[in-house]
Amino acid sequence: MNDTFQAPANGQAVRAAAARGLIPVLTSQGSLARLDEQQVSARDRAFLRALCYGVCRTLPRLEALTGELLRSPFKSRDRDVHALLLLGIYQLLYLRVPAHAAVGETAGAARLLDKPWATAVINGCLRRLQRESSALQEKVDRDPCVALLHPAWWLKLLRQAWPDDWREIAIANNQPGPMTLRINRRHGDRERYRERLAESGLGCQLCQHAPDGLTLEEPCDVRSLPGFAEGEISVQDEAAQLAVELLGPALAPRPGARVLDACCAPGGKTAHLLEVFEISLTALDSDAARLERVTETLNRLGLDATLKHADASGLEWWDRAPFDAILLDAPCSGSGVIRRHPDIKRLRRPEDIRHLASLQADLLDTLWQTLAPGGTLLYATCSVLPAENTEQVEAFLARTPDARVTTPEDVAWGRTAGAGRQLLPREGGHDGFFYARLEKQA
């Protein structure tokens, strides 16, 4: 997790911006998706993201250490100062930033937050951490939740669901996910694109299970990759790319098939379906802003779909013409993609799982009505929790007599999990995902 960064052009400004960006997460009021990167120069944005995502990834440990370093917690109006201290600890322990910069620039950033009094406090705490680093880390790591960087309730759920794998899942969650690309088949194959990457001095590996995927050896700005602006590639994890493989038997023999992508934003799977199959696709999402991102993606790729701003748990949007296939990439806890969205660990609550499971059940029941007899529904989540996956599908099958499981078992990825297949997040590999393929009996 130790990354090296070019010294920021304005170190104090970047750290102050990072502190402001972390406050919504620390107060459970918002996610890093709203991080305003425009407040720093283009050169410093990668460092800003690394700071904010890194702090969220390691937050349980950083907060345990602040408890050791502070005589008393900061007042609620000084959450920005608290965030600065977290940033300082993160830099000292996890980034290859010169220690003098980690301490001096972070403490100095307090002045940019109009709190010059905090400069001495942060400086003192970070100096003490430097002196007593080993002893302090050893002390806080006695708590397994701190050592594994997860809240206790998350670890409990993982242990219950995956008694033989929970620790490896937690460790994988703590590593940044690799940058995986999806090659647009309409422009060529991944072997040809790998040669183009090599010509640009970039190394990659072909994905093992997704035939359109390759993973870069080092992440980079996607806009710098050859052919991105022309729609030749997109960024998409290997596990997410498998949705198209699972829908293939239902779509490949049926050009012009009527297909629904029910919760489509941000549109990665929408675009992949259109790249591979000659279909008539309706893409639905309840979030207008995220639907706009789908529009931008399809425009870049030169693809066309019917986009609708609507809630898939109702049928007001439906024209009563049944669909031949449906992709339901259901809203979920995101427990399989924590490494890409580490703020999930702070923002989710135990009761969210029950609420999400209820929503997933409503979506399944509603969308099943729009599926033609003989049609296929692919249920997907980026979760590793049985309540959203195996238990969800088993309950649906119990109350839906015309549903038949067609999830393949002869595939090399994932593991059988009830009526579906479960992928667990792998360090350096794919995200955690669940798929169940269901056919509506004629």
Side-chain angles (χ1 to χ4, degrees):
M1 209 183 302
N2 288 5
D3 294 319
T4 302
F5 286 91
Q6 184 181 26
N10 191 332
Q12 292 185 6
V14 177
R15 289 164 173 89
R20 288 190 289 265
L22 284 168
I23 290 174
V25 179
L26 298 176
T27 56
S28 300
Q29 300 297 312
S31 73
L32 288 181
R34 298 180 180 178
L35 179 64
D36 180 9
E37 299 180 12
Q38 303 301 317
Q39 58 185 318
V40 302
S41 67
R43 168 184 163 176
D44 291 341
R45 285 170 195 163
F47 187 51
L48 174 68
R49 286 194 297 273
L51 289 174
C52 292
Y53 280 79
V55 166
C56 288
R57 192 166 284 119
T58 55
L59 193 54
R61 197 159 185 253
L62 303 183
E63 291 197 317
L65 286 167
T66 61
E68 297 296 324
L69 294 169
L70 290 170
R71 292 179 180 174
S72 59
F74 291 113
K75 296 177 181 177
S76 59
R77 63 173 180 266
D78 296 321
R79 289 194 178 97
D80 48 358
V81 179
H82 175 71
L84 269 186
L85 180 56
L86 296 172
L87 285 160
I89 299 170
Y90 176 71
Q91 292 167 76
L92 286 174
L93 298 185
Y94 293 102
L95 288 187
R96 293 194 183 96
V97 174
H100 65 85
V103 176
E105 298 288 290
T106 304
R111 298 188 187 93
L112 301 181
L113 301 175
D114 293 327
K115 294 179 179 175
W117 58 267
T119 302
V121 178
I122 295 172
N123 187 72
C125 287
L126 296 180
R127 295 293 184 197
R128 183 185 164 202
L129 177 62
Q130 286 182 294
R131 291 193 304 272
E132 305 174 30
S133 179
S134 298
L136 290 172
Q137 292 186 69
E138 183 179 351
K139 181 178 181 181
V140 300
D141 283 346
R142 291 172 191 156
D143 180 348
C145 298
V146 171
L148 289 171
L149 306 177
H150 281 62
W153 73 272
W154 267 120
L155 291 183
K156 180 179 179 181
L157 284 182
L158 291 178
R159 191 183 296 113
Q160 289 173 340
W162 304 102
D164 297 329
D165 304 281
W166 68 274
R167 187 178 294 275
E168 286 70 23
I169 295 172
I171 291 171
N173 286 347
N174 296 336
Q175 303 299 322
M179 185 171 178
T180 299
L181 306 180
R182 182 189 75 239
I183 308 306
N184 185 346
R185 292 189 196 179
R186 294 174 182 246
H187 290 268
D189 59 33
R190 61 180 183 175
E191 296 285 357
R192 191 168 71 95
Y193 192 76
R194 179 164 67 169
E195 295 173 2
R196 293 180 65 188
L197 286 177
E199 292 169 359
S200 302
L202 298 171
C204 70
Q205 294 183 343
L206 302 183
C207 289
Q208 183 178 0
H209 307 301
D212 297 326
L214 54 80
T215 298
L216 298 180
E217 292 179 356
E218 295 292 338
C220 66
D221 184 342
V222 68
R223 293 165 296 186
S224 69
L225 292 171
F228 174 75
E230 294 75 24
E232 297 181 34
I233 56 161
S234 299
V235 177
Q236 188 178 40
D237 182 75
E238 180 179 19
Q241 295 185 37
L242 295 173
V244 158
E245 299 306 305
L246 287 166
L247 279 172
L251 298 180
R254 304 170 70 171
R258 185 175 155 83
V259 180
L260 172 68
D261 186 353
C263 303
C264 67
K269 298 183 187 69
T270 308
H272 198 190
L273 285 168
L274 290 166
E275 290 168 2
V276 175
F277 303 116
E278 297 295 337
I279 54 176
S280 172
L281 189 136
T282 298
L284 203 69
D285 205 273
S286 60
D287 187 320
R290 284 166 55 83
L291 197 61
E292 183 60 32
R293 289 183 58 192
V294 180
T295 301
E296 294 170 359
T297 295
L298 296 184
N299 288 341
R300 179 180 63 83
L301 295 168
L303 301 169
D304 185 45
T306 299
L307 302 186
K308 292 189 176 183
H309 176 210
D311 185 347
S313 63
L315 291 175
E316 294 78 8
W317 55 272
W318 187 37
D319 62 4
R320 306 299 162 180
F323 292 98
D324 299 304
I326 297 173
L327 170 59
L328 171 52
D329 190 5
C332 70
S333 64
S335 54
V337 292
I338 285 176
R339 59 185 185 169
R340 300 190 190 278
H341 306 281
D343 48 356
I344 287 176
K345 291 189 290 187
R346 170 56 69 98
L347 298 175
R348 286 277 180 240
R349 295 288 181 268
E351 57 270 24
D352 292 343
I353 309 303
R354 184 175 67 256
H355 295 152
L356 286 163
S358 177
L359 173 60
Q360 292 152 6
D362 288 344
L363 289 167
L364 275 167
D365 290 341
T366 300
L367 293 172
W368 194 252
Q369 300 174 54
T370 72
L371 185 63
T376 293
L377 184 148
L378 182 64
Y379 176 77
T381 74
C382 53
S383 171
V384 299
L385 302 180
E388 303 181 277
N389 298 334
T390 53
E391 294 171 11
Q392 183 67 259
V393 175
E394 286 169 7
F396 175 75
L397 291 169
R399 64 178 181 268
T400 312
D402 60 347
R404 183 175 74 92
V405 178
T406 61
T407 308
E409 296 183 355
D410 57 342
V411 293
W413 50 265
R415 61 184 71 185
T416 299
R421 288 197 77 79
Q422 179 74 61
L423 297 109
L424 301 178
R426 290 178 50 210
E427 192 173 349
H430 54 65
D431 289 340
F433 241 85
F434 175 84
Y435 289 109
R437 195 172 68 193
L438 308 168
E439 181 182 279
K440 191 172 191 176
Q441 293 181 299

